Amino acid sequence: MTDSTADTPVQNQTAKIVVSGMTCGHCVASVTEELKGVDGVLEVRVEDLVKGGDTDVFVESDGPLDLPAARAAVEEAGYAAAV
């Protein structure tokens, strides 16, 4: 008997997290570092930092992103997150 799921390629997924309160590159680096520690996260991108406001952070993962873990990671960095 073979495992048919082993032959099915896993597709990467991208989730958007809205992070409040980042003001500089150091803030972005802190959030990025924490998010990269979440299981399955491959890449974290901030395309347009909104200083002191709500910034969209795009998280690419190798499957569905664990949203509670992602929110906790952002909060660990000292910011609020909406997913």
Side-chain angles (χ1 to χ4, degrees):
M1 181 179 214
T2 61
D3 182 4
S4 63
T5 59
D7 297 330
T8 305
V10 177
Q11 293 193 2
N12 293 351
Q13 296 184 7
T14 302
K16 179 175 80 170
I17 300 173
V18 180
V19 178
S20 300
M22 295 191 298
T23 59
C24 64
H26 183 271
C27 299
V28 171
S30 295
V31 168
T32 298
E33 181 179 337
E34 290 294 333
L35 284 170
K36 284 187 175 180
V38 174
D39 285 342
V41 171
L42 303 171
E43 181 182 353
V44 178
R45 289 186 329 274
V46 174
E47 295 174 0
D48 187 25
L49 175 63
V50 179
K51 293 184 178 183
D54 294 338
T55 299
D56 293 340
V57 177
F58 298 93
V59 181
E60 184 179 342
S61 58
D62 61 7
L65 179 64
D66 181 346
L67 296 176
R71 179 180 294 138
V74 171
E75 291 172 353
E76 180 68 27
Y79 304 93
V83 292

